[in-house]
Amino acid sequence: MASSSFDTIVIGSGPGGYVAAIRAAQLGMKTAVVEKDTVGGRCLNYACIPAKAVLRVADVLSEVREAGEFGIKVADPEIDYGAVMQRREKVITTLTGGVSGLFKKNKIELIEGEARLAGSGTVAVGDQTYEAKHIVLATGSVKKPIPGASFGGRVIGTEEAWALSELPRRIAVVGAGASGAEIASAYARLGTEVMLFEALDRVLPTEDADISKLAERGLKKQGMQIFTKTFVQDVETGADSVSFTYNGEKGEVDWLIIAAGRGPDVEALGLADAGVEVDEKTGLLKVDGAQRTTASGIWAIGDIVPGPALAHKASDEGVIAVEDAAGLETHPISYPDIPRATFCTPNVASFGLTEEQARDAGHDVVVGKVQYGAVGAGTVYGDRTGLVKIVGDRKYGELLGGHIVGSKSTEMIQELVNVKALEGGYPEVARMIHGHPTMSEAVMEAARAADGWLIHG
């Protein structure tokens, strides 16, 4: 006999789990959340939020250093790294405290411990067993090593990289995807010597090639060394440093940070015993468009299922899962149309297909490109090198993808995402009135370029 029973139990309290729990409670379900670590999961405590807190410091430092370009004289800024870490902790506790408050507001019970699926609609946590009509798995991801290296000593993952107690003198970052680029950009601007390695032929290799090229140029201006088509090997960690080889050369740094991928955190769940099937190639759980697993009464969301490993994707999947559990009509997510954001400098944001992907898919591709400097705001605010690129299909004016590199791109991309969601195309964006002078005018001009009537450019 279970010690307690609920309508819904959510395992994991990250952006997917806590949103799912709140939505379940809103729908009148008696809800509990099981968390083995700290409320907010890895995103709020170790990854997304701490990363952006440190990146914001680097942004402010860059603005101070560039103040002379705007006619403001300031002394050389100094970094109080201890204060940086204190602010990081304050940001984390503020947001995780907010989630705890939302749990209380919505009468969601928090169960502390590691959960295991115990069969027949039950979840075991330690010596306690809980019944649930609906179970949502939202356990997130764990770091993965690279071949020939293991975590330990001076070899760390991205989560530890954002929590270093002292500002490192020199670091190596393996993997130039979103996480690696963010770490490299933050520490390079804080004064650390940075070596950034990528096995593929360019940084941010999943982004559109034009965007990746400009992003790499911006990263190099921050003083870091970038090595593409390069593998890090022969990793040896010592008491105060870690050594490795690359391209026949030897490197030595304070910390080697592996940012080359993550895997689903499902080992403790007992999936096989519960009848939850896993894709053998990816290790991800098999789900349908409503996030249902192969086991009745169990849904799965976030990094443990297919699709991009993004917090906002997990949140939306959480809403879909519990609404399906409640008997509401839901719709599957179009994964390509989820906005993607990288908060390095320059910011990079995108959605949909790259130009190459669109051509490979057989579309009659039309492209519109405009630099920030083509509109007034780019010059006013000091970013003329940013770029907006729109990828469309010529026949019906379909908006296939949007790609932006430059300041505020992570905010600007949402306009194109919304237009696509509302079944608009690039001709509609071209004729929407945009405020002046704003960076968003560059989005409008890129749409005009795709439509064949660019004004400023």
Side-chain angles (χ1 to χ4, degrees):
M1 189 73 180
S3 56
S4 296
S5 62
F6 300 88
D7 295 314
T8 300
I9 291 179
V10 181
I11 302 175
S13 69
Y18 84 72
V19 169
I22 292 170
R23 184 64 182 133
Q26 289 175 342
L27 293 171
M29 301 181 191
K30 182 182 178 183
T31 304
V33 173
V34 183
E35 175 55 59
K36 66 181 180 181
D37 190 356
T38 305
V39 169
R42 294 183 181 91
C43 179
L44 269 67
N45 289 282
Y46 310 113
C48 316
I49 296 303
K52 278 53 180 185
V54 178
L55 280 159
R56 177 57 184 151
V57 173
D59 291 343
V60 172
L61 182 62
S62 297
E63 290 175 5
V64 172
R65 286 172 173 163
E66 295 165 3
E69 297 178 13
F70 295 85
I72 301 174
K73 295 181 179 180
V74 294
D76 289 338
E78 295 182 9
I79 300 170
D80 183 344
Y81 189 72
V84 171
M85 290 295 103
Q86 287 177 7
R87 182 180 183 276
R88 169 189 173 278
E89 289 300 317
K90 183 178 179 180
V91 169
I92 293 170
T93 55
T94 298
L95 294 178
T96 55
V99 174
S100 296
L102 289 171
F103 282 178
K104 292 177 182 178
K105 176 183 176 181
N106 290 279
K107 297 180 174 57
I108 296 168
E109 184 171 333
L110 177 63
I111 302 169
E112 297 181 348
E114 189 165 63
R116 177 176 54 82
L117 299 174
S120 303
T122 59
V123 174
V125 183
D127 297 330
Q128 300 294 315
T129 304
Y130 303 87
E131 290 181 346
K133 298 175 184 176
H134 319 110
I135 300 170
V136 180
L137 308 179
T139 49
S141 63
V142 292
K143 60 190 179 184
K144 292 171 61 177
I146 57 174
S150 58
F151 292 108
R154 293 271 166 170
V155 179
I156 60 176
T158 57
E159 296 169 0
E160 295 88 353
W162 295 116
L164 294 174
S165 59
E166 296 181 354
L167 184 64
R169 180 184 60 85
R170 196 175 194 203
I171 62 171
V173 182
V174 181
S179 294
E182 288 182 349
I183 292 168
S185 179
Y187 279 106
R189 286 178 290 154
L190 292 175
T192 298
E193 294 181 34
V194 175
M195 304 173 75
L196 178 60
F197 294 92
E198 172 55 51
L200 299 178
D201 61 355
R202 53 192 172 92
V203 302
L204 300 176
T206 61
E207 297 292 343
D208 186 271
D210 288 336
I211 301 301
S212 175
K213 181 179 179 180
L214 284 176
E216 181 170 338
R217 187 180 302 168
L219 292 171
K220 285 181 176 178
K221 287 182 179 179
Q222 294 161 36
M224 69 183 71
Q225 295 177 285
I226 297 177
F227 304 88
T228 55
K229 294 189 288 188
T230 301
F231 292 91
V232 170
Q233 300 172 310
D234 305 317
V235 177
E236 295 184 7
T237 183
D240 300 313
S241 65
V242 56
S243 63
F244 55 92
T245 60
Y246 63 98
N247 291 341
E249 302 286 333
K250 185 172 183 179
E252 185 172 2
V253 293
D254 298 345
W255 300 94
L256 179 74
I257 302 163
I258 298 176
R262 298 178 66 84
D265 185 3
V266 295
E267 187 174 345
L269 289 174
L271 297 176
D273 293 339
V276 178
E277 293 183 13
V278 174
D279 185 283
E280 293 183 2
K281 291 183 179 180
T282 64
L284 299 171
L285 277 60
K286 296 179 180 179
V287 292
D288 64 11
Q291 306 305 131
R292 304 184 196 106
T293 69
T294 53
S296 178
I298 301 177
W299 289 254
I301 64 175
D303 293 1
I304 62 175
V305 301
L310 299 168
H312 43 287
K313 173 255 197 185
S315 295
D316 203 58
E317 288 176 335
V319 172
I320 291 171
V322 296
E323 287 187 348
D324 180 69
L328 302 181
E329 182 180 1
T330 65
H331 300 280
I333 295 173
S334 172
Y335 289 128
D337 292 336
I338 296 174
R340 305 176 290 270
T342 303
F343 293 84
C344 59
T345 291
N347 289 176
V348 173
S350 61
F351 93 98
L353 304 180
T354 66
E355 180 181 351
E356 182 180 8
Q357 289 169 339
R359 294 191 189 281
D360 289 345
H363 290 281
D364 182 9
V365 173
V366 61
V367 171
K369 293 192 287 187
V370 167
Q371 283 195 317
Y372 280 17
V375 298
T379 301
V380 169
Y381 295 107
D383 185 356
R384 292 179 54 82
T385 61
L387 177 73
V388 180
K389 179 175 181 177
I390 286 177
V391 179
D393 188 290
R394 194 183 309 273
K395 186 174 183 180
Y396 297 113
E398 184 182 0
L399 185 57
L400 299 175
H403 311 274
I404 312 177
V405 56
S407 39
K408 305 299 180 184
S409 66
T410 52
E411 305 288 341
M412 292 162 60
I413 196 66
Q414 194 63 43
E415 174 183 355
L416 295 174
V417 173
N418 294 348
V419 169
K420 177 67 181 291
L422 296 172
E423 300 184 350
Y426 59 82
E428 283 75 28
V429 179
R431 294 189 180 276
M432 290 177 179
I433 299 173
H434 288 63
H436 174 77
T438 63
M439 292 293 198
S440 68
E441 288 180 285
V443 176
M444 174 183 68
E445 289 291 358
R448 289 175 174 174
D451 206 33
W453 56 286
L454 173 64
I455 300 295
H456 297 90

